Structure formats: C-alpha cells, structure tokens
Amino acid sequence: MTPRTTPSGSDPKKKAAKATERATDPEKPVKKTATAKKETTKKASATKAVTAKKTAAKKSPAKKAAGKKAAAEKVPAKKTAEKTAKKAAAKKATAKKVATAAGAAGTAVAKKATAEKTAAKKTSAKESTAAKSTKTKATAEKTTVASDRVTVSGPAEPPRAPKPKKASAPTATPLAPARAADPALDAGDRERLLTGTHHDPHTVLGAHPVAGGVAFRAFRPYALSVTAVAGDLRAELHDDGDGFFSGLLPLSDVPQGYRLLVRYEGTEQEVEDAYSFLPTLGELDLHLINEGRHEELWTVLGAHPMTHQGVSGTRFSVWAPNARGVHVAGTFNFWDGTGYPMRSLGSSGVWELFVPAIGEGELYKFEITRPDGSKTLRADPLARRTEAPPNTSSVVTASHHEWRDAAWLDQRAALPAHEAPFSVYEVHLPSWRPGLTYRQLAEQLPAYVKDLGFTHVELMPIAEHPFGGSWGYQVTGFYAPTARLGTPDDFRYLVDALHQAGIGVLMDWVPAHFPRDDWALAEFDGRPLYEHEDPLRSAHPDWGTLEFDYGRREVRNFLVANAVYWCREFHIDGLRVDAVASMLYLDYSREPGQWIPNVHGGRENLDAVDFLQEMNATVYRRVPGVVTIAEESTAWDGVTRATHHRGPGGFGGLGFGLKWNMGWMHDSLDYMSHEPVHRKYHHNEMTFSMVYAYSENYVLPISHDEVVHGKRSLVSKMPGDWWQQRANLRAYLAFMWAHPGKQLLFMGQEFAQGAEWSEAHGPDWWLLDPAYGAEADHRGVRDLVRDLNVVYRHTPALWERDIDPAGFQWIVGDAAEDNVFAFLRYAADGTPLLAVSNLSPVVRHGYRLGVPDDVQAWHETLNTDLGKYGGGDVTNPDAVKPEPQGWHGRPASITLNLPPLATLWLRPA
C-alpha cells in the first residue's frame, strides 16, 4: 500500500533525501516512521494484515483491540518502477479488504487506494518515477479507531506505545493530540485571521469535510490546548502556533452538536464552536437593509440573546460596509477580539457572528479593521443597553418587563392630539430629583404630574449620551436609554407607571447630529458612514458635532427605525424632534461659500426633507395614536401638513402632528419683560401670533431653553418687585393656557423658581418647604398651575378647535393704552369661554367689553388675582349679566372689575 502524502508540516530536506534514495535504489525497504519497523516487500503483506485482523476478531476484547492496532500499523512494502498495472489492481483489492476490516478507518484507507489506482495507470518510466517520488514524500499515518475516542497522528509527533482500552472506564484513556488538518490552513487565510481582515472566517474555521475525513480548525489565542468533543469522541487538536489548532478526523461527516474543550492557564471551557453555525440573518432581512426599508432594524442588528440551531447564545451583527474585517470583543474574551472574527454577509455591509454560551449582562464592542489596516474599538450603534458614563461599552440585554398599560394604549388613539387636551410638563429626569433611579422616579413623578393636572410629560433626551452637560442632545447610543438611571426595563417601568396614572409620555428625539467621540459613530468603519462624506455637509457649525447623511438609505433606515423603536419598545406616545431647522437648510448657521446649493440651486436640504417625511409617515403607520412634534424655528411651509399634500413651495408637507410655536414664545416673553408703562409700544407682540395661529398645529413652549444660560427663570424675566413678578407670571400663564395651541411648561417654573435651571442640581424644591418664609408665594403659583390644568381639561373650548379659526374671536385686541387683551374661545358645540388679561399694574373698575347676546350670564371660572394664589383678591363674585348696550362691534356688553396684572376666565353661567 502506498503511503499518503505527508502533511504540510514535514521537513522538506528529509523529503528530498528520501526521494533521492528511492530513485537510486527502488528495491531498498522504507522504514515506517511511526514504529521504526522494517516493511516487507512481498505482495502478500497486505493479505497477512487482513488475516491478522480476522484472527484478532476472535480474541478477547483487550486482545482484539490490540490486534486491530497491529493490523492498522502494517504498511505495504514500497513498490518498484517495474510493477505493472495488474499488481496495482491486486493492491487495490487488498486495500478494500483492509478498509472493510478497519471499520471507521476504512474511509481514509479507501482514499489512499484511489490515489494509488491513479498512479498505477501511468505506464511510462518517467511517470512511474515521478509517482514514486511523490509517494516517498509521504510518511506512514497510523489510524486508531476505538469506541470512545479517535486519534489521528502524523510525523511531527514521536512514536507512542499502544495503550489498551479499559472497558470499565473508557474516558480515562489518555488522548494523543491530533495532527494538523490536511489540507492545512491556507497561509493567506491564516494571515488574514491574524491581521483581522478575513471577511468569511466560517469557511476556514470550524469543522469541514475534506479529503480523508473532517478537518477541525479553531482559532483560540492564549489557549493551551483545544479538544474536539462529539459524544464519546474526543480528539485533541494539534497546536499550529499563533492560537491556531487543527486536526483531521476520519469521519464521514461533520458531527452534529460537536463542542470544543478549550484549556487556558488555570481554567477550562467547553462550548459549542461559534464557527459551526449558519447565519442568523435571513435573505429578507438583508434585502430590506440593502433597500433601507427595514422598519424593525433593531431586531436584526446589535446584540441579541437567542437560541440558534438549538443552542443558547448571542447574535452580534453590525453594519460596517467599509471595514476590512470586524471582530467582537468583550468581557467573555478578555477584550481581545482576535479569536472572534465576524463574517461579512455580502453586499449588505453587515457583519455577523453567533457566539454560544454568551448571555445578558456581557459587555462588548466591535473591533473594526479600517480600510488602511488600522483598528478601532467601537460601541454598537444599535446597542439597546450601555454602561453608565463615563464608561462606554455596550451591554447584551433582553427585555423581561410585563406591561400593564393596555387600557392607556387602547384609548390614546381616540382623539388626535390637536383635537384633545394637551398640556405638557417638560422634565430633565436626571435632575428632576437628583439621585433617583427610573424606578424611584416612578414612585414620585406620576403622582406629582397627576396632581398638577398635566396630560403629558415630555422627557428631555433619554438616549445614551457621554456628556451630561449636553442634557442628552449629543447622542451616542440612539437605541439605549441612558444607564445613569437604570436599565432599559427600569425605564419601561417608569413609562408604564406614568401611563397607569393617565399621563402620556413624550420624549425628545435628536436625529439632527451626533458627537465626534472616537468610540461612537464618527467615521465608524474608517470612513464617513453615518455622517456626510463632504465636510461642508457633515460638520455642524454651532455645536462641533456631525450631521447625519440623510441621502444614504441605510442612515435614513437607522433613524426611521429608531423613531419606531422608541414608540414600539418603550410605549412612547410622541416624539419631539429637536433642531429641525438645522436639518432643513443647507445654509443653516453657515456663511456664503460654506455651503453647496441643492440640485435646483436652492438652500433646502432635499435629503432631510425626504427623511422627515419618511419618518413621520412610518411612525404614524406603524404606531397608531402617537404624535410627532417639530421644534422648527422658521416659517417653513407645511411642517404639520400631510406628506402627500403639496404647498406653494412645491414640497409636500413634512407630516408632523404638532409644531413648537417659537415665534409666539419669543414675542410674548419679550412683551412681558417690559415694564407695564412701556408695554403699549409692544402691544402687537401679544397679538401678532393670531395672524398665523392656524398655519400649523402649534404647541406654545416655555421650555428649558428659555430658563438657562443667562436667560433667567420665567418669574425672573418679569419686571417689578416680587409681588409684581409673581402677578405677571400668573397672568402670563393663564393667557398662554387660553391662547390657541397646546401648552408646555418646564419643570421648576410651575412654582416660580427664581434661579436658572441647572442640570447639576435641578429645581429648587426647598422653596416649597413650609419652613421657608416665602413658601406660600411659590405654593400659590403652583396651585394656580394645577387649577389652570383642571379647568382646561374640562373646558373643550380651550382645546377642541385649536386648529380651527372658527374657534377664536377677538373681543378687543387693540387696547394698547390699557394693556388689555380680550377674546373668545369656542368649543365644537359653540360653547364659549371669555378670556380677559389686564397686564397693567392698576385695577380697572367697570371695564366694558362687548359680548355675544345669546349668553344669559357669565361667571368667573378662574382669576389669577385670587388670594390663594398670592394675589389681591380683586374679583367678580356674582354672575355678570350682559346689557343691551353695543360695544366692540357686538350687540351686548358687560362690565368687569379687572385686577392688576391678572387674567380672568369666564364661562356662561
């Protein structure tokens, strides 16, 4: 029988010497490498091996095993150049008999016989000599097959004495290490794995059928040994150096569910081989990612604990189309990703790896080999949980929260936001009650907001961000609630508690830009990816951040899916989209020459328009009952118009549900900041909003931006002494609640905090301590806010026709000398509410106002000058009946006592 080709680890000098020797003297016998015994040159040697094998079968089990070893170790004598094809055929028949007797070892022997048959067909002397030379390069391979183990060896190991099997304890038999796989790992593959540039490690690592059996290859840096385990089979793989281990086992197919026993210094792990699994992402997922239309992107990218092919572990997947290679590194591999290369899933740019035995709580990042060969360690863009800053690792997580807000979700779509009561309390969670976790906040925030009567809370950005001073507006973890306050399930618990208290949850969402941190999104895979490749389009001039490339479909998909994610996974009721104006205009905060016009020569960012339209359309379609709100500070046409309705500018609407009325906010605060004696010169600042009040669906925002960075708190903006400041604030808030549009008030302003807000310490709750001397002044303002919300909720005229011009009528809007404003609001059924503001510091007795003649009498339903609010108690206690005296162009009129710096609401008696 002709010896097999020597494995690739043989000494080339020895091979050359043997070839020369056999070419010179073909009759000289060859020594068997493994046993150092002389081989016979007689043709009958193979037949004797068969006879010995049959005889061994009749012996005791121990002797039978020894007989099998002896038969297997017999090697046919070397052949000479003069052997004929007839002898080769006879040798083939003998080889088949040996294969039958050797059982599982027959597969390897049969393949040897096939090679010999090919060699025997060569008839020329030159071909015969070449065949002998090839045979001489090989050394004998011993194959031992036993019921409890398989050992495959080659020339690199010294000879081992046969060790009989112990029937009573088969697993105790010492194992010989397996030889390097044949064919050996390609040098190019080896280099690419070591340098982190292999795009498909599953094709070379793991177990693969090859000529002669199944090749096992493992890449485990720092391991002392690796053993393949499949049922009773145990085979120690050969250490090929640099963390590579391999072995060729005489198996007909890859054993299902095989495991790797990996021994390190002082520890040992037995796990499934990560490179034995099929991809976890399907063709449809990859197609949708390619198209930029995977609306549940978070379910396929990121880290997901799962059961795959019957094995528990975690799937890691990341979009990095420019990477030359990607590895996953984490606590489970000592932050060395070398031995965990991911596979590229084709043109999608997605890299994937299923790692068995990895579960929740593990920290991880992606080690990316850039196009220039350098490496970078990056947090997962779709991580659903992160470490608490300043740590930056992503965390494997899964949700176990059981929602109890079904009743809330069922009713929230009953009315669209613009036709429903909608008063919002804006909160910065980390500083509302500093030090509280999500779950602790759930015990306090819902009760507080419900007591004050707000319909919603709006949370400043919750997504993970590295710098607390950004208040969350520079996001690095778009899919992860900040870990500062707890886990994602803890945040779910807070939302659930708010819903059970009857309070909707809005959150600020920031798709306009992201920070440049080198562990996050910036040049994620070595080139601009999430940001625009043109620096003029990517660098945000105001905040030192990077703007998203809305023209890239995968980036749009990342953001659109993110909007859906918060609404679906956390039951968020609405998204307030930050900095929309900076997205819409190419020249936003840029000087001439610092921006490039669009294809039509205009300043509009057409890609951003498309993105916002797609985001709004997708969210409203996928999550009924939610609302999107734009913080848009310009006069862009159609922010809250449907996306399929084109406006005068040729653009379809952006599709938002509501828009912050920044113009009203700036104008009204400017008016209120003036001394009353000067207000008559600014009267139009309080009335101008009604010129455009119905151009969009508006929210009237007194937000965090207005009470920081030297702008002073809301009460501190007001002129006059402390009494006048509070009176102005109360009158202003009641004017705001009566004005068409929804309301938003930032925390701390509800009790007239005098200091600016600081994220370091939050609201000055001590102002409400009964031990504080001026506590009643602050409590009075808070009591007013509560009453405003209560009356508002029960008065449809104040919210039902917010976007209908027929729901509003001026009584008097030009009384500049008096600093008086009076108007009517109407419910859908025609029921009116009369709002009157006297923003001068004097009482106006018997002030006449024209009113409809179909109301029999009016009575005060709210007066901001009541003593319980801290006012002077100038009221109209009795029902006020209209007189048939025309006034302000109306057939009837009433006379009222108008308190100083106060607002009155009157309803039909």
Side-chain angles (χ1 to χ4, degrees):
M1 184 183 291
T2 307
R4 299 187 54 171
T5 304
T6 306
S8 58
S10 303
D11 188 337
K13 292 183 178 180
K14 291 182 179 180
K15 291 194 290 184
K18 289 180 180 178
T20 303
E21 179 185 47
R22 295 188 66 185
T24 305
D25 185 5
E27 296 297 329
K28 185 175 181 179
V30 179
K31 292 184 178 181
K32 185 175 182 181
T33 304
T35 62
K37 295 181 179 181
K38 290 185 179 181
E39 299 175 343
T40 178
T41 59
K42 295 181 179 180
K43 174 182 177 182
S45 60
T47 304
K48 290 181 180 180
V50 175
T51 303
K53 199 72 175 179
K54 291 181 178 178
T55 303
K58 300 178 181 180
K59 298 178 181 179
S60 64
K63 291 182 179 181
K64 180 180 179 181
K68 286 184 178 180
K69 284 181 178 261
E73 288 171 354
K74 296 286 186 178
V75 179
K78 72 175 184 176
K79 311 302 182 296
T80 63
E82 292 79 17
K83 286 183 179 180
T84 64
K86 182 177 179 181
K87 291 182 179 181
K91 191 163 82 76
K92 174 185 175 184
T94 303
K96 289 183 179 179
K97 293 180 181 179
V98 174
T100 302
T107 302
V109 176
K111 291 186 178 294
K112 292 180 183 179
T114 301
E116 290 161 359
K117 178 180 178 181
T118 302
K121 291 181 179 179
K122 299 179 181 179
T123 55
S124 66
K126 181 177 180 180
E127 288 173 334
S128 179
T129 303
K132 288 189 300 177
S133 177
T134 300
K135 295 172 189 174
T136 308
K137 291 179 182 178
T139 56
E141 179 185 73
K142 66 179 182 180
T143 303
T144 303
V145 179
S147 62
D148 63 328
R149 62 191 178 93
V150 175
T151 303
V152 181
S153 60
E157 288 289 314
R160 295 174 181 264
K163 295 185 178 181
K165 170 185 174 184
K166 294 181 180 181
S168 58
T171 57
T173 306
L175 300 177
R179 283 292 163 234
D182 184 13
L185 184 64
D186 179 81
D189 287 322
R190 183 184 178 109
E191 178 67 17
R192 285 190 290 274
L193 287 168
L194 287 171
T195 57
T197 58
H198 207 297
H199 74 285
D200 197 2
H202 291 70
T203 59
V204 293
L205 298 179
H208 301 276
V210 296
V214 175
F216 287 78
R217 301 189 188 93
F219 185 27
R220 295 282 177 152
Y222 313 115
L224 300 180
S225 67
V226 176
T227 300
V229 179
D232 291 335
L233 180 147
R234 296 166 67 88
E236 184 176 337
L237 304 184
H238 182 265
D239 186 347
D240 299 333
D242 293 326
F244 292 96
F245 296 84
S246 61
L248 178 64
L249 304 187
L251 303 172
S252 60
D253 201 356
V254 176
Q256 290 187 354
Y258 76 88
R259 300 167 66 86
L260 296 179
L261 181 63
V262 186
R263 186 168 64 87
Y264 296 97
E265 186 70 39
T267 187
E268 191 173 72
Q269 300 175 348
E270 184 173 334
V271 295
E272 286 82 1
D273 187 356
Y275 298 92
S276 67
F277 293 91
L278 297 171
T280 57
L281 273 66
E283 291 299 323
L284 179 59
D285 288 322
L286 297 177
H287 171 74
L288 292 174
I289 291 172
N290 270 330
E291 294 293 314
R293 294 296 304 169
H294 204 305
E295 295 173 359
E296 295 185 353
L297 189 65
W298 70 92
T299 65
V300 292
L301 296 185
H304 292 267
M306 63 188 303
T307 299
H308 181 48
Q309 295 177 211
V311 176
S312 296
T314 295
R315 175 190 67 205
F316 296 93
S317 49
V318 63
W319 179 59
N322 297 311
R324 294 179 61 190
V326 182
H327 295 67
V328 60
T331 48
F332 47 88
N333 58 14
F334 312 105
W335 290 102
D336 183 354
T338 307
Y340 287 74
M342 305 173 73
R343 63 177 148 209
S344 172
L345 299 180
S347 61
S348 65
V350 174
W351 300 75
E352 179 262 1
L353 180 66
F354 176 76
V355 182
I358 298 301
E360 295 180 53
E362 296 282 1
L363 307 183
Y364 71 98
K365 284 187 177 181
F366 293 115
E367 184 181 87
I368 296 174
T369 304
R370 300 182 178 104
D372 64 1
S374 63
K375 289 181 171 56
T376 178
L377 197 61
R378 298 293 177 131
D380 182 0
L382 276 94
R384 292 169 296 135
R385 182 181 174 188
T386 67
E387 283 190 290
N391 297 322
T392 60
S393 295
S394 304
V395 183
V396 178
T397 189
S399 176
H400 304 285
H401 179 73
E402 295 183 4
W403 290 95
R404 296 177 175 84
D405 62 349
W408 169 266
L409 297 181
D410 289 342
Q411 63 81 36
R412 73 177 180 182
L415 280 177
H418 58 270
E419 296 178 1
F422 196 92
S423 61
V424 183
Y425 183 62
E426 187 185 20
V427 179
H428 180 252
L429 280 182
S431 68
W432 186 74
R433 294 281 192 180
L436 297 189
T437 65
Y438 290 126
R439 290 183 179 267
Q440 291 168 335
L441 285 164
E443 301 303 316
Q444 298 188 32
L445 183 61
Y448 183 80
V449 176
K450 184 176 183 178
D451 175 65
L452 289 183
F454 286 98
T455 65
H456 291 74
V457 293
E458 180 176 314
L459 308 179
M460 291 170 67
I462 288 300
E464 193 59 88
H465 50 283
F467 177 49
S470 76
W471 312 329
Y473 290 98
Q474 295 189 12
V475 178
T476 50
F478 281 81
Y479 284 79
T482 180
R484 292 170 173 85
L485 308 179
T487 68
D489 270 357
D490 292 339
F491 178 58
R492 289 182 175 92
Y493 183 87
L494 172 60
V495 175
D496 206 348
L498 286 161
H499 283 171
Q500 292 177 61
I503 300 163
V505 182
L506 314 174
M507 63 169 278
D508 283 8
W509 185 55
V510 192
H513 62 127
F514 57 91
R516 297 174 179 265
D517 298 74
D518 59 7
W519 50 267
L521 296 184
E523 293 191 353
F524 181 76
D525 58 3
R527 291 178 181 165
L529 187 64
Y530 290 91
E531 67 272 38
H532 202 284
E533 62 183 359
D534 184 350
L536 291 177
R537 294 282 299 274
S538 65
H540 198 291
D542 290 341
W543 303 316
T545 53
L546 295 170
E547 297 182 4
F548 282 102
D549 181 3
Y550 306 108
R552 186 160 191 166
R553 60 180 180 271
E554 296 94 341
V555 175
R556 285 202 311 272
N557 193 175
F558 172 81
L559 293 171
V560 171
N562 186 242
V564 176
Y565 167 77
W566 287 103
C567 298
R568 289 283 297 274
E569 292 293 320
F570 296 95
H571 293 197
I572 296 297
D573 302 295
L575 302 173
R576 176 265 192 184
V577 182
D578 182 66
V580 171
S582 73
M583 302 163 65
L584 291 174
Y585 297 98
L586 295 169
D587 62 345
Y588 185 88
S589 288
R590 293 176 171 89
E591 299 297 328
Q594 296 180 338
W595 62 280
I596 300 172
N598 62 34
V599 293
H600 305 298
R603 57 196 286 255
E604 300 86 1
N605 187 337
L606 304 180
D607 293 333
V609 171
D610 289 343
F611 157 66
L612 292 171
Q613 291 175 329
E614 180 182 347
M615 181 277 297
N616 280 311
T618 305
V619 168
Y620 279 109
R621 173 171 49 83
R622 294 297 301 268
V623 197
V626 302
V627 62
T628 59
I629 308 167
E631 187 217 11
E632 204 283 309
S633 56
T634 74
W636 183 279
D637 176 58
V639 172
T640 58
R641 189 171 61 238
T643 58
H644 60 282
H645 289 167
R646 292 192 174 274
F651 293 102
L654 296 183
F656 285 94
L658 299 168
K659 172 184 174 177
W660 274 20
N661 193 334
M662 310 294 283
W664 174 89
M665 179 269 297
H666 286 298
D667 288 346
S668 62
L669 288 179
D670 184 68
Y671 175 90
M672 294 301 299
S673 68
H674 290 290
E675 290 287 347
V677 69
H678 300 301
R679 285 175 175 169
K680 63 182 179 181
Y681 303 110
H682 301 274
H683 194 79
N684 66 308
E685 292 179 349
M686 292 291 272
T687 60
F688 180 68
S689 60
M690 292 312 303
V691 173
Y692 61 87
Y694 302 104
S695 61
E696 303 281 2
N697 307 335
Y698 282 116
V699 174
L700 310 180
I702 301 299
S703 73
H704 64 278
D705 274 332
E706 310 318 313
V707 295
V708 291
H709 297 160
K711 295 180 181 179
R712 299 174 293 173
S713 69
L714 189 56
V715 71
S716 298
K717 296 177 189 291
M718 306 300 166
D721 59 23
W722 176 233
W723 189 96
Q724 290 179 327
Q725 283 182 312
R726 288 182 292 118
N728 272 302
L729 174 59
R730 294 193 304 267
Y732 177 71
L733 290 174
F735 175 87
M736 169 183 171
W737 253 251
H739 191 286
K742 311 307 181 182
Q743 294 74 41
L744 179 141
L745 187 66
F746 183 59
M747 65 183 194
Q749 311 317 301
E750 77 275 15
F751 58 83
Q753 174 174 315
E756 284 188 336
W757 168 64
S758 167
E759 79 278 359
H761 58 76
D764 291 333
W765 296 108
W766 57 270
L767 295 172
L768 297 171
D769 187 339
Y772 175 58
E775 178 266 344
D777 297 343
H778 297 279
R779 177 169 41 81
V781 174
R782 188 175 67 172
D783 289 345
L784 170 68
V785 171
R786 180 189 297 109
D787 289 349
L788 285 173
N789 279 323
V790 170
V791 177
Y792 170 80
R793 276 180 180 249
H794 292 90
T795 308
L798 291 174
W799 44 263
E800 205 167 37
R801 300 171 80 178
D802 268 332
I803 65 169
D804 183 358
F808 176 91
Q809 290 181 8
W810 279 113
I811 296 295
V812 56
D814 58 356
E817 293 293 334
D818 299 335
N819 295 349
V820 171
F821 306 87
F823 54 84
L824 291 166
R825 297 293 309 279
Y826 288 96
D829 64 2
T831 304
L833 177 134
L834 174 61
V836 185
S837 296
N838 173 24
L839 298 180
S840 66
V842 298
V843 179
R844 299 197 180 277
H845 295 282
Y847 198 86
R848 187 170 292 276
L849 294 169
V851 293
D853 59 359
D854 58 350
V855 176
Q856 298 299 315
W858 300 83
H859 73 91
E860 282 187 1
T861 189
L862 184 135
N863 184 331
T864 65
D865 193 52
L866 291 182
K868 66 178 182 178
Y869 303 143
D873 258 338
V874 176
T875 66
N876 299 274
D878 301 323
V880 182
K881 294 183 179 181
E883 301 172 7
Q885 180 179 355
W887 207 258
H888 294 137
R890 296 181 179 275
S893 61
I894 58 174
T895 57
L896 298 171
N897 293 324
L898 302 184
L901 303 175
T903 293
L904 309 177
W905 290 357
L906 297 97
R907 288 192 297 191

